[in-house]
Amino acid sequence: MNSSKKPSPLSNRGRQYEEIGQFLARNQAEFAELLTFIDFAEDFTLGFIEVNFPPDQDLLIEALTRHEDCQGIQWVILEFADPKLRFLRDELVQELEKIQPEADKKIVVVIKGLAKSIGVFGEHPPVLVDLNFVRDAYKRTVPHPLLFILPDYAITRLAKFAPDFWAWTSGVFRFKTSPQMQEMAIERAFQPAESFPRIATPEQQERVELLERLLMDYQPTGEQATGENLQHYTEILEQLGKAYLTQRKPEKAREYLEAALKLALRLRSASTLCSTSTPSETEVSTPSEAEVLKPDDLGFQVRIFNQLGESYQQERQFDRAIEYYQQSLTLSRKVENRRREATALVNLGTVYLDLRQFQKAEYLYQECLEIDQDIDDRYSQAITYHNLGYLAQELRQYDQAKDYYQQALDIWIEFNDRYSQASTYGQLGKLAQELREYEQAKVYYQEAFDIWIEFSDRYNQAKIYGQLGRVAQDLWEYEQAKAYLKQSLDIFIEYSDHYAQARTYNQLGTVAYLLQEYEQAKSYYQQALDIFIKFSERYAQAITYHNLGIIAQELQKYDQAKSYYQQALDIKIEFKDRYSQASTYHQLGMVALQLREYEQAKLYYQQALDIYIEFSDRYEQAGTYHQLGIVAQELREYEQARQYYQQALDIFIEFSDRYSQAGTYHQLGLLAEAQENYTEARENLQTALDLFLEYQDDYWAGVTREILERISQN
């Protein structure tokens, strides 16, 4: 019974014949010209066949090999789909050596798949550079007609980057895509953005190539899209922009998004003119364009403004990002689209969060939440609660953050959205980790991990491995941390996410640093830096220069350390990241302290402290107060030192950071010893010892115990 439902080979063959017939019906003249070209081609003859989609390429090859005029031809169909292919001629010669010539038949070689190595963008693809360089060898080593089947964009790039080879072209045949293939490609390419991970996966790259083929289909090289094609062309530009945003290629994304916006504005202008002009005037404008967009349809522009804002946000050009998000917000309010208004508010909130302008970010998120509630969009409220949780976490308002995350999680569960639950479980894990509740953090991370496995989302599994690596690092389980991080790295390599790889190399460098494996740490940091430089991630380079400074400092290479810190600082200043400058000023203060340059150390620490106060970051102020205490103590300014230590201690107590309290109690003990107040010294040192033992820090417990033993003799 079941077998009767399976399509027979005969029915599949019939469907293929039907598809070939439809494809040829759309390309009768071009197919006839191609047949004539093949008939007259002798020895080395070069032809290019433009077919934008692989299924149509297969239909054409099938039509050629079955055509009655081609029965005297021995077809050699070769596919070279390796994206790393460089030496095409060598591969071609090897394949042709395997061919046994048939008597009285002319060999015609068809080459497909080369679009992979030609690529969509980038200068001078290696395969084309070599193709141009060894072109004279083709006549001697490949004495047969060659037909390259390529999409429009690949032929354009070949003509540009292999002009000498292209000059030998004897024929170019441009085939139109079948309607069925167009429809199928649009359906695949226009899937919701959230169904594609925000990484440059092989699947994502395939989607980019698919969109590029569609783009060429609706506006072939040298032609202009018109009528309905213009609508599709504009939408494809938007989709390409979104795709490149997911690959963290904001400049490339903007090329397409700005082109889409320009077209949308032109179409809207034409449509408005059409609706307000007399019939005779309408004839002057382009009616086909005027019909594409309705005068009140501004939703497309709203989306483009949002995406352009995201492109600038990725580059930390926050002023430009705010400008575009604000345009999106204004336009959404103009057309009274509250859902899009909420989206713009969320986007603006994330920019101000990046700028650490927390009060403004919270105001925008709350405004968004009010809209979600007014329009009864309970599902979207979860996203806003999640963002509010992240904001509260940044402010170290941990109870508030936990409450917001729980509200988000409850809604995800209510809507049975398992996938979205994972991201909130992940944030709850980070929150527990910051509170040093490591077992609870592991539980939350495992919840997230199980969901990513359920959805076969290996990329997000890599993120959880990274977080578990941080937990192990915090617990001084460094070998376990390395194991997790290497699992994370393997997946990021698998998915070709260079940015994530670099971040993981940074983290591996930190683990090696904590193990005092300084050369290994330096190697990891250098790998991270090389990737950031290669992919022009200039802002991210600052983190790695900062880390390399720490290694140089540990190796007592102070000039080198200062140089690295200065490079980090210069980038942070360039990107107007004032908040992050504080951490580098702090480290420069530590270098000056180690060089006994106390006045310089004070200056650097004060610069760091001023920034932390400016950004209302009380917690980070504590570490700098602690270091200022050490400087004052070295200068024998004991009362000033005590004041700084007490300010640090008060903040650590306020934030329940018992481990950091231990370090400050330790310093207060040394200070009391220097002032020969041995009773106070013993009390402070004993408190420090108890806390170090509580956190199983054997090294500092041992140091503190030795000092206590020394003091007990007084």
Side-chain angles (χ1 to χ4, degrees), residues 623-636:
T624 308
Y625 279 129
H626 180 97
Q627 290 301 120
L628 282 165
I630 293 175
V631 173
Q633 187 171 340
E634 289 292 329
L635 291 170
R636 299 178 182 276

Side-chain angles (χ1 to χ4, degrees), residues 432-484:
Q433 189 173 341
E434 286 184 37
L435 292 169
R436 305 182 73 88
E437 298 170 355
Y438 297 118
E439 291 307 315
Q440 182 62 69
K442 288 181 190 177
V443 170
Y444 283 131
Y445 287 142
Q446 191 61 51
E447 291 272 9
F449 193 73
D450 290 345
I451 294 172
W452 299 137
I453 290 175
E454 178 184 331
F455 283 87
S456 302
D457 189 338
R458 278 179 58 72
Y459 180 78
N460 274 311
Q461 291 171 38
K463 290 182 179 180
I464 297 298
Y465 280 130
Q467 288 305 125
L468 288 168
R470 286 185 170 89
V471 170
Q473 177 183 316
D474 287 346
L475 292 170
W476 301 294
E477 299 169 354
Y478 299 128
E479 292 304 319
Q480 180 65 72
K482 282 198 287 188
Y484 280 132

Side-chain angles (χ1 to χ4, degrees), residues 39 254 277 279 287 317 323 357 566 609 650:
D39 184 36
R254 276 200 298 276
S277 59
Q317 296 188 43
E323 177 187 330
Q357 295 184 25
Q566 192 59 53
L609 185 62
D650 289 345

